[in-house]
Amino acid sequence: MVVAVVWFRNSLRIHDNPVLSWAYESENVDSILPIYIFDEEIQQKSTLTMGEQRLRFQFDCVDNLHQNLKDKLDLDLHVFLGDSIDVLESIKQQLQSFEVILLNEYSTNPRDRKQSESIEKNFFSTNQNWSAKSLPASQTILDIEAIVNSSGFKSPKSMKDMVRLFKTEFGDFDNIVFATSEPNPSVGKPKQALSVNSEYQISLDKIRPLLSKPTYFIGGESEAIARLENKVISQQDYVNSFNKPKSISTNTKDNPMEPTTTGLSPYISTGCLSIRRLWNSCSKIQQSGEHTVPPVSLHGQILFREMFYLLSRSVENWDQDSGNSQCKEIEWGELNQVQLEAWELGQTGFPLIDAMMRQLDATGWMHHLGRHAVSCFLTRGQLWQNWTHGRDIFERKLIDSDWALNNGNWLWLAGVAPFSMPYYRIYNPCPDSKSSLNVETKDAEFIRHWIPELAEFPSKYIFEPHLAPLHIQESAGCLIGKDYPSPIIDRKEARKRNLQSFKLSLEKLR
Ligand SMILES: Cc1cc2nc3c(=O)[nH]c(=O)nc-3n(C[C@H](O)[C@H](O)[C@H](O)COP(=O)(O)OP(=O)(O)OC[C@H]3O[C@@H](n4cnc5c(N)ncnc54)[C@H](O)[C@@H]3O)c2cc1C
């Protein structure tokens, strides 16, 4: 009997899942064993690499996958807690008399790649009846491996490069609908039920009580499909007029949790939503009439994503400050732990920065322009800290944490990459209504929600509350320096100093 072990890692979904479809369609495969491995110890509601909300979101994705596999395909997702090689060894013991094909998802993340290599080296060589099968990337539209290995491939540096590349691959691509692969149990030969027992197996009911409660975003394919329907498919005008740089960073009026953009990133990063399905939904709407185009359109956002995936696979040391061809080594100096902590905890005394960081901590999400504001503030803007420190905090906390995208965007915002925004374009962390950070400043509802200390502050002073006269602070019930921190840095002085330091650092690199 031939068993296909389908290892779910970065595509926690049934729809448009080429690995699952292959297992169904293959005439050789008699039985499918879907598995998921939690490979880190859970302590205090988090793991070494995942903060509370991120871990909770991931858990919900696995829980929903478990349910959907059962309901739609009558498959039992086997969930394990332990080191991946130990888990696979224990499965091997159970499947000794079978031929086994391990279907492992493509990844550009070196951690996953190293793990896969080590499995191949230590595992398949000693297990004659085990083999591995890899399929092209299912998290991207492009076949990343094929593109980066094609002759004449050059790292893309701009949206123009990406448009050119997509034109070469797909012709007139903007309204194209890509083929998707939907697993169909009635195709191929009928599959036999199969179950294994392993000491590492764990029931999801045992994990659930160890985790925090979700605060806004709930993980899983079902939520992803519902959000796609509500925010994209049923919103023709929204899609056709989507203009990312114009979107409001302080969320929706009357709902400080709900993004003005699609809010689909957590579902795309965990693979609960196929990027092709999002692309196709936009294409079908765009065919109906006039629409925005890359870089500002939704398709444009997907092109940025594809660009960072290509770079993450083709650039050595993509996540490093040195030895990275896409990163100028600026002299950031020593880590200032106190400032970094104030930034992380939303205690800098700059309400916009603090509100954004508190939102990240509580929900695991932040609008793109909010990410611009806080990353610029931490690096070249005010605090002059190495971008990798902020990157690490984002990686742990974001529910859409994605190795390729997080590093790419931090490189962009720190001003160190060839594709970066100019280093001298520094955001004012105390914005007014004209700021390109698109902050709602009239009522400042977002700030009041995330910084309750400032709830009664007049809007006029709320973005720079230490400038408010004492009697105003008193009548708002918030004394700056006592109830809410004074600014941890003189923003104007810091800006001036940092511009000089950046320029000097660049000159030394010439
Ligand atoms: C410092 C920094 C770190 C970031 N880290 C991450 C990360 O770890 N994971 C992540 O998914 N995004 C990251 N982003 C990109 C971006 O902020 C989020 O993808 C976006 O805000 C998600 O919101 P949305 O789904 O409503 O986006 P929409 O505007 O609705 O866009 C649709 C989809 O396009 C993709 N996308 C949009 N913007 C970008 C972008 N700039 N780069 C790459 N893909 C994009 C996402 O998959 C997104 O869901 C980061 C941005 C910055 C500035």
Side-chain angles (χ1 to χ4, degrees), residues 227 238 242 244 247 259-269 275 278 297-298 300-306 308 365-375 394-395 398-413:
R227 182 168 274 271
Y238 174 79
F242 192 89
K244 182 67 167 271
S247 60
T260 55
T261 47
T262 64
L264 285 170
S265 55
Y267 303 96
I268 296 168
S269 300
I275 196 71
L278 171 60
S297 63
L298 270 169
Q301 308 317 299
I302 297 175
L303 290 194
F304 279 126
R305 186 174 181 275
E306 299 280 317
F308 290 135
W365 195 86
M366 194 193 295
H367 185 277
H368 186 58
L369 292 173
R371 300 182 200 206
H372 274 230
V374 302
S375 53
F394 265 38
E395 186 167 305
L398 279 173
I399 53 173
D400 65 24
S401 181
D402 180 310
W403 184 81
L405 308 190
N406 197 29
N407 282 292
N409 278 287
W410 272 96
L411 287 162
W412 183 309
L413 265 299

Side-chain angles (χ1 to χ4, degrees), residues 332 339 350 376-385 422-430 464 488-504:
W332 296 108
Q339 289 191 346
F350 290 88
C376 177
F377 181 85
L378 181 72
T379 56
R380 67 198 157 87
Q382 269 70 39
L383 300 186
W384 196 252
Q385 298 294 297
Y423 75 88
Y424 46 82
R425 223 194 110 201
I426 289 176
Y427 292 110
N428 181 351
C430 307
E464 228 164 347
I488 56 168
I489 202 159
D490 179 325
R491 69 178 170 88
K492 290 181 185 161
E493 281 293 313
R495 179 181 185 278
K496 214 159 123 196
R497 202 170 48 242
N498 294 347
L499 279 172
Q500 194 58 19
S501 304
F502 208 107
K503 199 163 156 232
L504 274 177

Side-chain angles (χ1 to χ4, degrees), residues 270-288:
T270 47
C272 291
L273 179 66
S274 142
I275 196 71
R276 277 178 291 271
R277 191 169 276 197
L278 171 60
W279 177 283
N280 290 349
S281 303
C282 297
S283 289
K284 286 176 194 162
I285 291 175
Q286 290 186 173
Q287 285 164 7
S288 67

